[in-house]
Amino acid sequence: AIFVSSAHPPNAHGIVDLAAQAQGHPLSGGEIVVCGKVGSLMRAAPRFQKARRVLDRCRFLGWVDDHALATLYAGARVVILPKLYSGGSNLKTAEAIVSGRPIVATRLAFEGFEACTDLNDITITDDPSEFWESVDRYLSSGHTTAHRSPESVQDLLWENSLRPMVAAVSSAFG
C-alpha cells in the first residue's frame, strides 16, 4: 500500500487516528509505504502507540522524486487516502485516481471528486476497521493491474483541469 503526504498535520493525524480506531490486527500481510515528509509527524502523533498494530507495517521513505513516486504508484497494490479532517486541496486524491491503482479512501478524501467514486477499484469507507480490512484484501491479493482507462481520468490532468482558467485569462488579456 502507498500513502503519500506532505508534512501536513491533519494528514498525519488522519492516518494515525484511523489506525488507532481499528479493531484487532486488520492487516495480515504486506506493508504501507509512506512517502513525503509526513512520517515524522505520524510518529510524533499522540495516538501513534495505539496505532502501532497497523502502522508497524509502515516503511517511511520520506521525500521521493517524481520518478521514484511514479514507480512506487505503479507497483502499489492499493493507494490509501485516510483523510479524517477537513481542509486542503485533495491533490493526492487526483494523483491516486490518475495512477490507475485501486484506492481505499475515506469520504473526506473524495470531497471535490465525488464524480469519480464510481470508477473501478475505489472503496470509500469511514469505518476504521472496514478501511483497514479493505486495504488488507488488496495487500493479500495478487491483483496489481490498473483498471481505470486513461480516458476516464483525463479531466484530472493539469493540462485539462487548468484549460478553463487559461482560456479565461487569455480572453481577459487577449
Side-chain angles (χ1 to χ4, degrees):
I2 185 171
F3 172 63
V4 182
S5 177
S6 62
H8 185 55
N11 293 349
H13 292 289
I15 188 171
V16 171
D17 291 349
L18 198 67
Q21 295 169 27
Q23 300 298 311
H25 297 273
L27 297 182
S28 61
E31 66 184 357
I32 302 165
V33 176
V34 178
C35 300
K37 296 184 177 183
V38 71
S40 60
L41 293 176
M42 287 173 60
R43 291 187 292 265
R47 298 183 75 190
F48 185 76
Q49 289 306 315
K50 184 170 183 177
R52 288 191 76 114
R53 66 183 177 280
V54 173
L55 299 183
D56 271 349
R57 295 192 174 274
C58 287
R59 185 184 330 168
F60 297 94
L61 299 185
W63 181 87
V64 295
D65 65 32
D66 290 342
H67 178 71
L69 186 59
T71 301
L72 290 165
Y73 269 121
R77 291 209 171 136
V78 62
V79 179
I80 60 172
L81 300 169
K83 186 174 182 180
L84 294 181
Y85 306 104
S86 289
S89 63
N90 285 0
L91 287 177
K92 296 303 177 197
T93 301
E95 190 174 86
I97 295 166
V98 170
S99 78
R101 309 309 307 143
I103 297 169
V104 176
T106 58
R107 197 167 319 284
L108 274 176
F110 265 77
E111 277 187 343
F113 296 93
E114 292 84 0
C116 297
T117 59
D118 62 347
L119 294 172
N120 290 333
D121 279 330
I122 295 178
T123 303
I124 308 291
T125 180
D126 291 330
D127 178 86
S129 295
E130 187 178 322
F131 183 97
W132 294 109
E133 288 164 5
S134 295
V135 171
D136 188 56
R137 278 193 294 280
Y138 283 110
L139 291 176
S140 300
S141 76
H143 168 74
T144 58
T145 57
H147 286 286
R148 286 185 290 286
S149 70
E151 296 79 29
S152 69
V153 298
Q154 284 298 310
D155 289 344
L156 299 177
L157 300 177
W158 279 118
E159 66 257 18
N160 297 327
S161 62
L162 294 177
R163 193 169 283 141
M165 186 182 304
V166 171
V169 170
S170 293
S171 68
F173 294 104

